[in-house]
Amino acid sequence: MITGVAAGALFLGLCLLGGWWFHLLLIAMALIGYFEFVKMIGCPPAGGSAITGYAAVLGFMMPWDLLGFSAPLSWVQGVWLLMLLFLAITVLTKNKMDIRITALLFIGALYIGTGFSYMAVSRSAPDGNGLFWTFLLLCCIWGSDAGAYFVGKALGKTKLWPAISPNKTVEGAVGGVVIAMAIALIFALISPDLLSLGRALVIGLASAVVGQLGDLVQSAYKRAYGIKDSGSLLPGHGGILDRCDSWIIVFPFVHILMLLPYY
């Protein structure tokens, strides 16, 4: 509880401040998350290949708007060049760092770097309501998590995906979806000029379903590598990826599908 309150206060406080404060926090979280990912797959976290991944995460997180510049590369160009660089590593190391590891490092940089970068995009939304959109998505995710846990504990009987996460139930998942949609509707009722009821329902549904998928993705990785937590930064909570596994899936998803109304 102490860890949760302290970490939550820091995160929400810097989110309220926005700008450089929040962006630097997200950069730190992304780099720590990538460090946890690198350790999880058994790659030396201070090796040259991992350093390439850290640089890629920084590249995805670069706040060009805050710096007053335009990005020198498009997102597609950046991803392709990163892929080429990781492919080249297998050649330059004469397969000491083989394609399986470099492919995972590439996926990790893309997964974590873009996930946290879209959180920054939400906070600096062009319509000036970034705090509203950020809290909307976070509250939907947290509501889904809480709903899935408590409904699952009270009513859960049918296992959702026991091979990946044995404690999750279908009833809990449905409960999480309902709570997330209800929270989104509350946001719409509070600010009807920003968010319609129909769009709120879609955002709540997407946040819950994709957020639970993000949780299962992280569970699958950890089960594959035989670990309980991705890290130990947050006592009682695990690592950054344990806490943010849903965030870094939901935020890109709602932007890529242009579910937020400022698109």
Side-chain angles (χ1 to χ4, degrees):
M1 289 180 65
I2 293 172
T3 302
V5 170
L10 174 65
F11 179 85
L12 292 175
L14 294 181
C15 185
L16 287 169
L17 285 173
W20 276 103
W21 292 103
F22 188 55
H23 206 107
L24 288 173
L25 174 64
L26 292 178
I27 289 174
M29 292 172 69
L31 290 173
I32 294 169
Y34 192 70
F35 172 82
E36 294 172 355
F37 184 88
V38 170
K39 284 188 66 179
M40 181 175 66
I41 65 174
C43 183
S49 299
I51 290 173
T52 301
Y54 297 129
V57 170
L58 277 175
F60 285 123
M61 294 295 301
M62 188 62 64
W64 296 108
D65 55 335
L66 293 176
L67 292 170
F69 297 104
S70 297
L73 298 172
S74 70
W75 188 84
V76 172
Q77 290 169 335
V79 169
W80 191 89
L81 288 174
L82 177 62
M83 179 195 69
L84 178 63
L85 184 57
F86 274 118
L87 289 173
I89 287 173
T90 63
V91 177
L92 297 174
T93 62
K94 299 178 180 178
N95 265 338
K96 290 179 181 178
M97 187 63 66
D98 67 34
I99 189 67
R100 290 167 295 184
I101 294 296
T102 54
L104 286 171
L105 290 171
F106 170 71
I107 289 172
L110 192 60
Y111 164 55
I112 296 165
T114 57
F116 281 105
S117 71
Y118 272 106
M119 292 183 66
V121 169
S122 297
R123 182 60 183 87
S124 59
D127 67 348
N129 296 299
L131 195 60
F132 178 87
W133 304 120
T134 301
F135 278 169
L136 167 64
L137 296 180
L138 286 174
C139 288
C140 285
I141 294 167
W142 292 335
S144 174
D145 288 344
Y149 177 79
F150 288 111
V151 174
K153 283 287 186 183
L155 305 174
K157 294 180 180 179
T158 310
K159 295 298 183 182
L160 176 65
W161 214 305
I164 299 297
S165 186
N167 294 324
K168 288 183 171 57
T169 64
V170 173
E171 294 82 1
V174 172
V177 170
V178 171
I179 296 297
M181 293 174 73
I183 288 172
L185 284 176
I186 291 171
F187 272 80
L189 292 171
I190 292 172
S191 298
D193 54 322
L194 293 179
L195 183 63
S196 68
L197 293 177
R199 190 181 289 267
L201 288 173
V202 174
I203 291 173
L205 175 64
S207 298
V209 173
V210 180
Q212 291 182 42
L213 175 61
D215 190 7
L216 288 169
V217 166
Q218 185 66 12
S219 296
Y221 274 126
K222 290 188 290 189
R223 185 166 291 272
Y225 286 98
I227 59 174
K228 181 179 181 295
D229 295 318
S230 65
S232 56
L233 178 67
L234 305 170
H237 293 262
I240 291 293
L241 293 183
D242 293 306
R243 292 300 89 202
C244 303
D245 50 9
S246 298
W247 307 5
I248 56 179
I249 294 292
V250 170
F251 276 84
F253 185 82
V254 298
H255 282 86
I256 290 169
L257 265 64
M258 295 186 287
L259 297 181
L260 298 182
Y262 59 74
Y263 280 103

